[in-house]
Amino acid sequence: QVHLAESGGGSVQPGGSLRLSCELSGYTANIYCMGWARQVAGKEREGVAIWESGGATQFGETVRTTYADSLKGRFSISKDNTKNILYLQMNNLTPEDTAMYYCAARPYCYRERVESLPLKFPYWGQGAQVTVSS
């Protein structure tokens, strides 16, 4: 069983920043692919960012990150493997970023398209609300 728990949501003014955290627990040994998606009420869930690990080698860990085109440069995904926490740093937020943000995980992925995240990831957290408003 894999458990995901988001935190760090809240309200922020336009132009502000927030960092979401997602704690991964349970049977995590085979989780090498995680991501963030968001959903506005009445709309479909959309992929935000994916973090892929190629595993540890003698040269270190190979990590690939990918983002929704509209969010490149403002959002950054990262993972602290020592704590099993996935992060989403969100900068220069706008009211259009207001949504429920969900953390997701799957065992493996390879060059996964962020658009496919809502359909292909089996494990999900409960979500964290982000509201951007003046």
Side-chain angles (χ1 to χ4, degrees), residues 5-12 17-23 36 85-90 93 99-101 103 127-132:
E6 300 95 337
S7 61
S11 296
V12 64
S17 297
L18 277 177
R19 188 178 77 162
L20 300 180
S21 299
C22 173
E23 184 174 358
W36 291 94
I85 296 178
L86 182 76
Y87 298 101
L88 183 68
Q89 178 67 44
M90 304 182 293
L93 287 162
M100 184 72 79
Y101 284 73
C103 176
Q129 178 66 39
V130 171
T131 301
V132 184

Side-chain angles (χ1 to χ4, degrees), residues 21-92:
S21 299
C22 173
E23 184 174 358
L24 174 67
S25 61
Y27 188 69
T28 65
N30 290 332
I31 298 296
Y32 291 92
C33 188
M34 298 184 70
W36 291 94
R38 66 185 184 182
Q39 188 169 22
V40 176
K43 294 187 177 181
E44 292 186 353
R45 193 170 295 187
E46 64 173 357
V48 171
I50 293 176
W51 178 95
E52 298 178 15
S53 172
T57 71
Q58 60 180 329
F59 304 108
E61 182 183 25
T62 301
V63 172
R64 177 179 182 265
T65 58
T66 185
Y67 300 89
D69 287 342
S70 62
L71 302 177
K72 288 179 181 177
R74 293 196 300 122
F75 286 22
S76 178
I77 189 171
S78 61
K79 187 172 182 283
D80 185 333
N81 287 328
T82 64
K83 300 179 181 178
N84 259 343
I85 296 178
L86 182 76
Y87 298 101
L88 183 68
Q89 178 67 44
M90 304 182 293
N91 298 325
N92 195 21

